[in-house]
Amino acid sequence: MSPRPAQSNTSDPEVSRPSHAAVPQGSKGKRMRRRDLVGYFYIAPAFLVVGVFFICPLGLLIWMAFNNWPLLGSPHFQGVTNFISLFQDTTFWDSFWFTTKYALVVTPAIFIPAYGLALLVNSRARGTGIFRTIYFLPVVIGLGTASLLWVWLLNDQVGILHQVLVRWGLLHEPALANANTAFVAVIVMVVWKTVGFTMVLLLVGMQAIPDHLYEAARIDGASWFNQQLRITLPLLRTTFALALIMSMVGSFLAFDQFYIMTGGGPHNSTITVVYWIYRASFTYFKLGYGAAMSLVLMTALTLLSACQLLVLRQRTD
Amino acid sequence: MNLPRQSVWRVLRSVVCSIIALLFLAPICWSLLTSFKVPAEANAAPPQLVPSRLSGENYGALLVYGEGMPRYFGNSLIVATLTVIGIVLLSTLAGYGFSRFKFPLKGVLFLALLVTLMVPFQSILTPLFLVLRTLNLQNSLLGLALVNITFQMPFSVFMLRNSFDGIPRELDDAASIDGCNSLQILWRVLLPVALPGVVSVALFAFLASWNEFLAALIFLTDSEKFTLPVMLLNAQSGYLGSVDWGLMQAGITITVLPCAILFLLLQRYYVSGLVSGAVK
């Protein structure tokens, strides 16, 4: 008995499909409405959480920026006062330029070795997978933990890296005590921790390039360098653009590495925007002022993300 | 002429790869080795390369440091577990809803969720702190987990909607004919097929929660609520006396270990999640 309807279903798909599609037509209004409610039921829990912990704070942020908002006690409205003091706050703009400088330096510092590593491990040779895994391993370590690890490596008493660098004559004082060497130290740590991530992104892009393009180039006598220049780089253009923007946005939000490795020092020379927001809000308890700074940061990041959307649209066209 | 040259290249490539691999592993291995040194040798200046003997003393000291390692490890584990459960539950339901149902404003709502991806949580720290305080969720592990869930949500819903979209609708129809309601279709038919996507989402949620530093630093104020990264920072800044470097390395090793093991076991899911999250 039971196989029969199944059989008629499979042998006669053209008949069964129209009749299936006709079902909602029979009682169109009611069925549609019930399906509607069911859809909302499934997405409602996610939107409840996002609403409470994202939309509410986002709305509150805008309101806070126009208030004098202490941690304790009641806030009061003060118009654009926060923004006026923000534009006069040299510490904020110093941190803004420092963050920009950091993002502009760290992005190529990650990209160039990532490209080299991707070329190295883009091979079907045995054992390459192990190297890929090893280069990627630091990515899954937390940025905070990695920072703590490198503070120890660079410690002038017990740090092995400090010893090696001093012996080679590359370092004369504790690396994190000098603004320039501290900046370099943070960048080296971040490259170690994140280069594997960019490597995998580039690798995926490289593997999507069809082999026959390289074969044709080889037959035409193109050198390895020319193949990179004329085939790989142009075809990786969108991968590059996306990874670059991700790296820029990520670098603009830098906090952990500077908070842990340099503490913003020496002489407040390594304070990032998020660090300064953190200090204003949770050390000086000027929450309204912190909110105004957050709005400026958000605007900068939205501009970067808009670039990302532009790149994506270009690719789908 | 051609063959030997190729094999020279191959050997050269392996040598270069191996040297770089050593450089990548060195910090982790050095930390691991130091964690098993006798405390006096772990704190020796300048550092000694070869330990006279291996010892578990640093781990013993860690066990009773502050509130005790089990407490901090447990806190991290509770937050990560709550985050993983919450994100898997909510993003599976929402991904299914967006993939299989038609409802007014669907496109707008999905876009709204993706916009969340563009506003990083660092930029709404201050109001988020106030919201948590109002809800009595400040200084609470559940509150931290809810923050993690929120900011992991857009990626996870996006990822799982794509997973469900990749499953032919004929499966739903067949199950529906067999008398399954929509929840049973999801649970019995679609979820087993979409499992790789769910594993990716869970893995990303775990790592994000386990490694979260800034939110834990701000939203947790009692030392008995601290997660591992915050506890380690306090230990390194000499919060309870002078810094014990051997204990630090034992703590770092214990913090890194779960992430490393999970990644090595579930590498495939990590990379597929990364690719679909970043490239699509």
Side-chain angles (χ1 to χ4, degrees):
Chain A
M1 283 290 266
S2 55
R4 275 196 73 175
Q7 222 168 31
S8 74
N9 233 345
T10 47
S11 65
D12 237 23
E14 271 133 71
V15 176
S16 71
R17 216 164 264 165
S19 74
H20 190 76
V23 171
Q25 267 179 352
S27 49
K28 199 177 177 183
K30 261 187 189 170
R31 278 200 77 99
M32 270 302 284
R33 226 171 290 147
R34 251 194 75 196
R35 289 282 289 182
D36 289 358
L37 286 178
V38 172
Y40 285 126
F41 162 77
Y42 282 109
I43 65 165
F47 273 86
L48 183 71
V49 173
V50 171
V52 173
F53 297 101
F54 179 76
I55 307 290
C56 279
L58 194 61
L60 191 58
L61 177 80
I62 297 167
W63 173 236
M64 281 172 82
F66 295 97
N67 277 273
N68 181 348
W69 202 300
L71 186 66
L72 303 166
S74 52
H76 59 88
F77 187 78
Q78 59 172 19
V80 293
T81 313
N82 281 329
F83 291 96
I84 291 171
S85 32
L86 177 63
F87 282 106
Q88 294 163 345
D89 179 355
T90 48
T91 317
F92 174 75
W93 292 108
D94 285 348
S95 75
F96 198 88
W97 296 127
F98 174 74
T99 314
T100 311
K101 184 178 104 180
Y102 169 72
L104 288 177
V105 172
V106 83
T107 302
I110 293 170
F111 259 74
I112 295 164
Y115 190 77
L117 288 179
L119 284 178
L120 264 181
V121 298
N122 185 16
S123 131
R124 286 183 199 85
R126 243 180 339 145
T128 320
I130 297 169
F131 292 126
R132 261 180 237 168
T133 305
I134 291 174
Y135 303 159
F136 196 83
L137 196 59
V139 175
V140 299
I141 298 173
L143 194 53
T145 315
S147 303
L148 288 165
L149 183 63
W150 280 73
V151 167
W152 168 66
L153 291 173
L154 289 166
N155 183 279
D156 60 332
Q157 298 294 312
V158 299
I160 185 112
L161 189 57
H162 176 85
Q163 293 295 323
V164 171
L165 291 175
V166 165
R167 190 163 301 166
W168 288 351
L170 291 169
L171 202 65
H172 306 288
E173 53 179 340
L176 298 173
N178 170 293
N180 291 323
T181 48
F183 187 64
V184 174
V186 169
I187 284 174
V188 171
M189 185 281 289
V190 170
V191 169
W192 172 75
K193 188 188 135 37
T194 53
V195 72
F197 182 85
T198 311
M199 175 195 80
V200 169
L201 284 185
L202 295 177
L203 193 60
V204 171
M206 282 178 188
Q207 286 173 346
I209 301 174
D211 273 340
H212 66 79
L213 289 178
Y214 294 105
E215 275 159 35
R218 261 195 298 269
I219 289 166
D220 290 345
S223 68
W224 177 86
F225 185 75
N226 257 325
Q227 289 175 32
Q228 291 300 314
L229 202 67
R230 306 283 161 114
I231 302 175
T232 317
L233 284 175
L235 286 177
L236 280 180
R237 209 176 43 215
T238 43
T239 310
F240 267 125
L242 284 178
L244 273 172
I245 291 160
M246 279 170 68
S247 167
M248 287 293 288
V249 171
S251 313
F252 237 89
L253 296 170
F255 172 80
D256 301 14
Q257 59 270 49
F258 289 102
Y259 184 79
I260 293 174
M261 288 180 73
T262 70
H267 309 300
N268 289 345
S269 58
T270 57
I271 292 187
T272 60
V273 177
V274 175
Y275 199 158
W276 185 232
I277 294 174
Y278 167 82
R279 259 201 201 170
S281 308
F282 301 104
T283 309
Y284 308 138
F285 302 123
K286 297 198 282 188
L287 300 190
Y289 191 53
M293 286 192 279
S294 301
L295 269 182
V296 173
L297 171 68
M298 202 185 287
T299 312
L301 290 174
T302 311
L303 287 178
L304 273 176
S305 295
C307 297
Q308 179 167 6
L309 276 185
L310 227 64
V311 171
L312 273 173
R313 180 173 293 177
Q314 260 180 357
R315 192 175 58 162
T316 45
D317 277 352
Chain B
M1 194 56 200
N2 212 8
L3 239 164
R5 206 180 135 187
Q6 255 190 358
S7 52
V8 165
W9 268 116
R10 202 168 294 161
V11 170
L12 200 68
R13 183 204 285 264
S14 308
V15 170
V16 171
C17 280
S18 307
I19 292 169
I20 299 173
L22 282 178
L23 286 176
F24 269 84
L25 287 177
I28 302 169
C29 292
W30 181 242
S31 173
L32 182 69
L33 178 70
T34 306
S35 75
F36 285 107
K37 284 181 179 173
V38 186
E41 288 179 9
N43 288 298
Q48 293 170 268
L49 215 53
V50 186
S52 58
R53 65 185 174 89
L54 295 180
S55 117
E57 279 172 73
N58 291 320
Y59 290 89
L62 198 60
L63 220 50
V64 293
Y65 180 84
E67 306 278 336
M69 189 62 178
R71 167 61 67 93
Y72 303 120
F73 192 91
N75 287 343
S76 275
L77 199 62
I78 289 170
V79 177
T81 310
L82 287 173
T83 305
V84 169
I85 292 173
I87 206 74
V88 166
L89 197 69
L90 297 184
S91 61
T92 302
L93 290 177
Y96 178 58
F98 276 119
S99 170
R100 288 302 199 260
F101 297 93
K102 276 192 193 132
F103 43 84
L105 297 178
K106 178 172 150 176
V108 177
L109 287 171
F110 191 67
L111 204 69
L113 201 65
L114 287 190
V115 168
T116 317
L117 209 59
M118 289 185 194
V119 182
F121 99 98
Q122 287 93 332
S123 57
I124 58 166
L125 271 180
T126 347
L128 194 57
F129 176 81
L130 293 181
V131 168
L132 287 175
R133 198 170 62 174
T134 311
L135 296 172
N136 265 330
L137 285 170
Q138 187 231 340
N139 193 24
S140 126
L141 298 177
L142 177 64
L144 186 57
L146 282 165
V147 172
N148 288 337
I149 290 170
T150 306
F151 288 91
Q152 208 58 31
M153 190 80 83
F155 161 77
S156 307
V157 172
F158 182 69
M159 170 101 191
L160 287 179
R161 191 208 57 166
N162 286 351
S163 292
F164 287 126
D165 276 352
I167 302 172
R169 274 155 202 267
E170 280 74 12
L171 276 180
D172 303 41
D173 294 343
S176 162
I177 289 163
D178 287 345
C180 285
N181 62 35
S182 64
L183 203 60
Q184 286 169 322
I185 293 177
L186 170 64
W187 178 245
R188 296 196 181 156
V189 183
L190 298 185
L191 209 52
V193 188
L195 204 61
V198 176
V199 173
S200 290
V201 161
L203 182 64
F204 273 86
F206 180 89
L207 292 175
S209 163
W210 190 265
N211 292 329
E212 175 50 55
F213 174 70
L214 179 56
L217 183 73
I218 290 170
F219 300 136
L220 304 175
T221 42
D222 285 352
S223 67
E224 60 182 38
K225 296 274 174 62
F226 283 172
T227 55
L228 285 169
V230 182
M231 169 265 172
L232 284 176
L233 176 71
N234 279 334
Q236 185 135 316
S237 46
Y239 186 64
L240 298 174
S242 69
V243 184
D244 180 345
W245 296 103
L247 178 139
M248 273 305 299
Q249 301 323 309
I252 286 176
T253 301
I254 287 180
T255 307
V256 168
L257 212 58
C259 297
I261 291 174
L262 272 180
F263 167 68
L264 292 177
L265 289 177
L266 303 172
Q267 204 181 141
R268 202 156 43 91
Y269 300 101
Y270 190 100
V271 173
S272 69
L274 192 151
V275 169
S276 62
V279 181
K280 265 180 195 161

